[in-house]
Amino acid sequence: QGGQQDAAAVGREVDRARRDPHPIPVTPAMAMAERFDYVVVGGGVAGTCCARLLCTKAPKATVCLVSPTEILKTIKVVQRVTDNMDELTVIEQPVASFDDANLTFVKDHVKSLDSDAKRLELGSGRIVEYGKVSLCTGASPRVHLVDSSRVLTVRDTDSAERLSEALARASTRRVVVAGNGAIALEVVNKLRGVEIVWVVKHAHVGDSLLDVDVSLHLLEQFERQNKGKVVVTRRGGDGHGSGPSEEKEAEIRAPSAAPGFAHALGPKWTQSFPSFDATRGTKLDVVYNRSLVNVVEEGESQEGEGENWPVTAILSDGERVGADLVISCIGVSPNTTWLPEGKFDLAEDGGLRVSPSMETSVKDVYAAGDVCTLEGDVLGPQFFQIRLWSQARMTAEFAAHCMVDSAEAELLDLGFDLFTHVTHFFGQKVILIGLYDGQGLEDEPDECKVSYTRQTADTFVRVLLLRGRLQGAVLVGDTDLEEVLENLILSGIDLSRYGPEMLDPEVDLEDYFD
């Protein structure tokens, strides 16, 4: 009962903070000290995790967290899956609920950074000096150059709220979803009572995370589970990876030079979607190998349409699709445009390049989360970067260790040796381990690579081996194989003599290789 009361109190505080547009009162600590040992910029998962660990690792140091909102995001472990893998959820908490004695919170945004003087200028004009600073400013959604209330770009909590409000309108009949990443998959899975036109620029759904076989398994599961409720059609391809992926896309607006650093979505953000009328049928039309190139408002010619629509989506092959709403989920760009031009070393994707200690090319300036790009010596043999909340936590906590004691940090094992991710797509649990889709192995000879698959109506298992040694695995459903496969990857045991028998359901792998 006490826990329920605490949760209710936190919920009331979150609601109050959302309604309050004003900065929180300046604390005595803020008034007395404008210089801090450590400053963290950004109140998302990376910023919050970094700041709180700095407080713990350096209890006598002064730590300042700068965020434009006092509702901060942090990570909660739902389940410990293996030694190197957690199932996580993202929760929102008001900064008032944090009890770190040496943490000072400033509700503001950062206008500029002067690394020579080691100081930040905030939007209010206030100057904050630092000993070391961690940039956890995240990434901004790639936005189409279309100014319309009917076109919603989904990436952060604010845009998710606007989407929920738009979907709640009873007049919504048809929705165009453009995108093929995790957010697009979640949107499509949750929408009901409307016609959905899903524009996918690749030859199968979920291309950024899933291979074609896993994609087909998930989509077939989705159809079986919704038989009689959702009608699925396909065009432009069959979902089996056939046809060239579409490269032509709409013009994209660059991130603002002074981004708001809004909070990225957590794994359960679609719970805010409104209830849909169960009597209204749902139709999903998957359009492969196409992309959204433009959107026009009502009044433009609706070629082939028998009725008027408020907005028209124009696809890369010239097709015009009328709709009530267009949902854009086409990826993100790291928030680096506010930094002094030419001062920092940027990667090809626009992120801040960091050293193995998470330090940028500028001394005493660190970066973590979506704003940074991990390359070269930062990456372990079975690790690669995808901008996920799990990696935001990992990079942020490692940055905090390095900022306080870089020598100690070198001895830590924080998960950079092995990529792991636990998520859910189309209602199915999906576990990704290591180089599950051959990431980074493109230059290896084909004869040195082999994959084995085991598939049932409810589960899917795919393993990838290089010269007999397990490199990665993807698991869908409840397979109970995640721990043993993780251990096989890390141990580097030569499995070539076992062949596809290693996935035989009659073989107990856990005992076999114990």
Side-chain angles (χ1 to χ4, degrees):
Q1 183 178 1
Q4 293 176 347
Q5 291 174 344
D6 291 343
V10 169
R12 288 193 296 271
E13 183 64 20
V14 169
D15 290 339
R16 180 204 64 76
R18 287 190 188 282
R19 294 191 299 269
D20 180 12
H22 304 293
I24 63 173
V26 176
T27 66
M30 292 180 193
M32 294 187 323
E34 291 296 326
R35 187 188 185 283
F36 299 88
D37 297 314
Y38 304 106
V39 175
V40 179
V41 182
V45 167
T48 304
C49 291
C50 184
R52 300 204 72 184
L53 187 56
L54 284 170
C55 291
T56 302
K57 291 287 296 178
K60 295 183 179 180
T62 54
V63 180
C64 176
L65 175 60
V66 182
S67 172
T69 172
E70 60 186 290
I71 301 301
L72 308 179
K73 284 211 165 186
T74 188
I75 285 288
K76 177 181 178 182
V77 177
V78 175
Q79 180 184 5
R80 187 73 169 171
V81 180
T82 69
D83 289 342
N84 294 281
M85 192 187 317
D86 293 325
E87 183 174 359
L88 307 173
T89 189
V90 178
I91 59 175
E92 291 184 326
Q93 287 185 292
V95 69
S97 66
F98 296 159
D99 57 1
D100 306 280
N102 56 335
L103 176 64
T104 296
F105 177 75
V106 177
K107 184 178 179 181
D108 208 335
H109 71 273
V110 177
K111 183 179 178 181
S112 63
L113 181 152
D114 184 342
S115 58
D116 295 325
K118 302 184 76 169
R119 67 180 195 172
L120 301 166
E121 181 183 357
L122 307 187
S124 61
R126 180 176 178 177
I127 302 298
V128 173
E129 298 180 349
Y130 63 85
K132 294 181 180 180
V133 62
S134 179
L135 305 182
C136 304
T137 51
S140 292
R142 302 175 68 207
V143 180
H144 287 115
L145 286 175
V146 177
D147 186 15
S148 171
S149 61
R150 298 278 181 170
V151 181
L152 297 179
T153 299
V154 182
R155 164 64 184 179
D156 51 41
T157 50
D158 292 340
S159 59
E161 289 177 3
R162 290 193 295 272
L163 174 58
S164 296
E165 293 170 0
L167 292 174
R169 291 196 292 260
S171 59
T172 301
R173 300 158 293 167
R174 183 189 290 171
V175 175
V176 172
V177 178
N180 199 22
I183 292 177
L185 267 69
E186 293 183 68
V187 169
V188 170
N189 182 49
K190 290 295 183 180
L191 287 177
R192 292 294 183 274
V194 295
E195 181 182 352
I196 309 160
V197 179
W198 187 7
V199 183
V200 176
K201 78 171 188 175
H202 305 100
H204 69 272
V205 300
D207 178 86
S208 62
L209 283 172
L210 310 172
D211 70 18
V212 61
D213 293 327
V214 181
S215 166
L216 284 171
H217 176 83
L218 289 171
L219 199 54
E220 288 167 359
Q221 281 282 82
F222 174 79
E223 290 186 69
R224 280 196 295 269
Q225 292 171 358
N226 293 280
K227 189 174 183 180
K229 301 176 183 177
V230 180
V231 178
V232 180
T233 59
R234 300 172 175 84
R235 54 198 175 93
D238 55 11
H240 288 76
S242 60
S245 297
E246 178 58 55
E247 298 299 331
K248 182 181 179 183
E249 288 190 271
E251 292 186 71
I252 302 301
R253 185 183 309 150
S256 167
F261 306 147
H263 296 167
L265 299 170
K268 297 184 178 181
W269 67 277
T270 54
Q271 290 181 349
S272 64
F273 278 18
S275 299
F276 296 100
D277 185 352
T279 63
R280 295 172 61 181
T282 303
K283 179 182 177 183
L284 172 60
D285 182 20
V286 186
V287 184
Y288 295 104
N289 302 306
R290 304 289 185 275
S291 61
L292 178 68
V293 296
N294 198 8
V295 178
V296 296
E297 294 278 9
E298 184 179 14
E300 296 286 340
S301 171
Q302 307 284 331
E303 295 180 15
E305 294 282 355
E307 57 184 310
N308 292 326
W309 295 93
V311 70
T312 300
I314 303 177
L315 309 188
S316 52
D317 63 346
E319 180 182 358
R320 303 167 73 91
V321 181
D324 296 297
L325 189 66
V326 175
I327 303 173
S328 176
C329 323
I330 56 172
V332 299
S333 298
N335 283 326
T336 58
T337 52
W338 64 282
L339 294 169
E341 187 174 356
K343 187 73 173 179
F344 289 82
D345 187 11
L346 301 181
E348 289 184 7
D349 63 2
L352 288 165
R353 279 199 174 97
V354 292
S355 70
S357 62
M358 304 305 296
E359 192 172 17
T360 69
S361 56
V362 176
K363 182 176 173 55
D364 292 331
V365 179
Y366 295 73
D370 287 358
V371 75
C372 76
T373 298
L374 307 177
E375 296 177 329
D377 294 338
V378 182
L379 306 179
Q382 277 90 28
F383 184 89
F384 60 95
Q385 182 182 20
I386 299 181
R387 288 180 165 86
L388 305 165
W389 54 86
S390 54
Q391 291 195 7
R393 178 185 73 158
M394 184 190 306
T395 56
E397 291 183 347
F398 189 59
H401 280 288
C402 293
M403 292 168 76
V404 175
D405 189 339
S406 58
E408 179 193 55
E410 291 181 4
L411 304 177
L412 297 175
D413 181 12
L414 292 182
F416 287 97
D417 288 334
L418 181 68
F419 172 88
T420 61
H421 187 55
V422 183
T423 187
H424 290 79
F425 292 132
F426 293 137
Q428 297 289 303
K429 180 171 73 173
V430 178
I431 295 179
L432 308 173
I433 312 174
L435 310 179
Y436 64 91
D437 197 21
Q439 294 90 346
L441 301 179
E442 296 83 3
D443 294 334
E444 294 287 351
D446 289 342
E447 59 269 21
C448 295
K449 296 181 286 188
V450 63
S451 63
Y452 303 124
T453 301
R454 187 183 85 193
Q455 185 172 4
T456 69
D458 301 318
T459 65
F460 181 98
V461 180
R462 163 75 57 74
V463 295
L464 175 65
L465 293 86
L466 175 67
R467 299 183 180 89
R469 289 171 170 77
L470 189 60
Q471 301 297 308
V474 53
L475 313 174
V476 179
D478 294 318
T479 66
D480 295 324
L481 290 174
E482 49 268 24
E483 186 168 10
V484 65
L485 292 178
E486 178 185 280
N487 290 334
L488 287 173
I489 294 173
L490 293 173
S491 66
I493 295 175
D494 188 347
L495 306 172
S496 53
R497 58 177 169 167
Y498 301 106
E501 183 183 346
M502 63 180 292
L503 292 185
D504 189 327
E506 299 300 319
V507 175
D508 190 340
L509 275 178
E510 196 163 351
D511 291 337
Y512 210 39
F513 297 106
D514 190 4

